[in-house]
Amino acid sequence: MSRILIPEGVKLIRGTEKRSLNAYQGGADPKGVLTIGDGHVIKKGEEHLLKGITNQQADELFSRDCASHFEHIQSDVGAKVVLDDYVYAAFASLAYNNGARTFLGAPSIVDPLRKGDLKAGVLAMWKFCKSGKPLLYRDGLFYRRLIEMYLALSHKLVQKPDECVAARTLMAKLSLYGNTGPMVAHFDRNHRKDLCITCSKRKK
């Protein structure tokens, strides 16, 4: 049975997934992949969802997706690794967004955890900010990772940035918990200035 999420975890996931009662093609999703509810990917055999759903049905899908995506978090990071409610909520958001067995392919997160360095493991979450086929960097996913990491380490849920200034402010706060140099450098190299609210205004 999956562990119960604290309210901040539920709010983070639902707030970043953006509920839709109609099926849609996500901008960062592979062609033909349709989503509905709170980020539920419509699978084969679920074609009836294409007609649209109610809020009650969206709640049911969300509960089912949480159960399936969170089931293996503890076992995949290691049974002896202690995850407090806030770290677990951050990891749950990552698993909900990236896939149920995300941590099986995340040694940069899991290895430090198993060595007892929780902060280093959490601060590696920024590396999971790509999506689509081929995998491409997404500012939106990077920003989501920032608020997940901040929730895990500060025990506070903050609003997801939508531009670079707020993102850099959050990275500065995260630097209090460990080395954020690689994270900042990655953002500097990959930030989509052409799509950024702040950067696009500076060009005018």
Side-chain angles (χ1 to χ4, degrees):
M1 176 181 288
S2 298
R3 181 170 162 181
I4 300 298
L5 270 189
I6 56 174
E8 290 90 340
V10 175
K11 187 175 181 180
L12 191 161
I13 295 171
R14 282 187 158 161
T16 50
E17 291 293 344
K18 307 300 181 185
R19 173 168 292 195
S20 175
L21 302 181
N22 296 298
Y24 66 94
Q25 167 78 57
D29 293 332
K31 186 177 180 180
V33 174
L34 296 177
T35 303
I36 200 166
D38 301 293
H40 175 81
V41 175
I42 299 175
K43 306 174 186 66
K44 186 176 180 179
E46 295 183 329
E47 289 80 6
H48 61 283
L49 298 178
L50 296 173
K51 298 177 181 178
I53 59 176
T54 64
N55 275 306
Q56 181 179 344
Q57 289 172 312
D59 287 339
E60 292 169 357
L61 285 174
F62 181 73
S63 295
R64 291 210 311 262
D65 285 345
C66 285
S68 63
H69 281 71
F70 306 163
E71 180 181 3
H72 302 286
I73 291 175
Q74 187 65 69
S75 60
D76 287 349
V77 301
K80 295 182 179 180
V81 177
V82 179
L83 304 176
D84 69 26
D85 286 344
Y86 294 91
V87 174
Y88 181 80
F91 284 2
S93 177
L94 177 60
Y96 192 96
N97 186 217
N98 275 40
R101 307 308 295 270
T102 290
F103 294 97
L104 286 180
S108 58
I109 296 175
V110 174
D111 289 351
L113 294 179
R114 293 180 179 175
K115 293 175 183 176
D117 194 343
L118 179 69
K119 292 178 181 178
V122 169
L123 288 174
M125 291 174 68
W126 65 267
K127 297 179 180 181
F128 295 82
C129 56
K130 295 181 179 181
S131 68
K133 291 183 180 180
L135 283 174
L136 297 173
Y137 165 83
R138 314 284 179 180
D139 274 337
L141 292 180
F142 185 86
Y143 296 161
R144 178 168 176 168
R145 300 291 89 89
L146 290 179
I147 65 172
E148 289 166 351
M149 290 185 286
Y150 194 69
L151 175 64
L153 297 173
S154 75
H155 296 183
K156 295 177 182 178
L157 178 61
V158 295
Q159 185 174 346
K160 177 183 169 184
D162 60 3
E163 48 79 45
C164 60
V165 174
R168 293 185 190 283
T169 297
L170 203 45
M171 283 188 275
K173 292 180 179 180
L174 285 168
S175 70
L176 298 175
Y177 300 98
N179 180 20
T180 56
M183 179 196 312
V184 175
H186 178 85
F187 184 69
D188 288 341
R189 288 193 306 271
N190 295 282
H191 173 48
R192 290 293 305 273
K193 294 182 180 180
D194 56 320
L195 300 178
C196 177
I197 299 170
T198 301
C199 294
S200 60
K201 285 181 180 178
R202 288 172 180 161
K203 293 180 179 180
K204 295 178 181 179

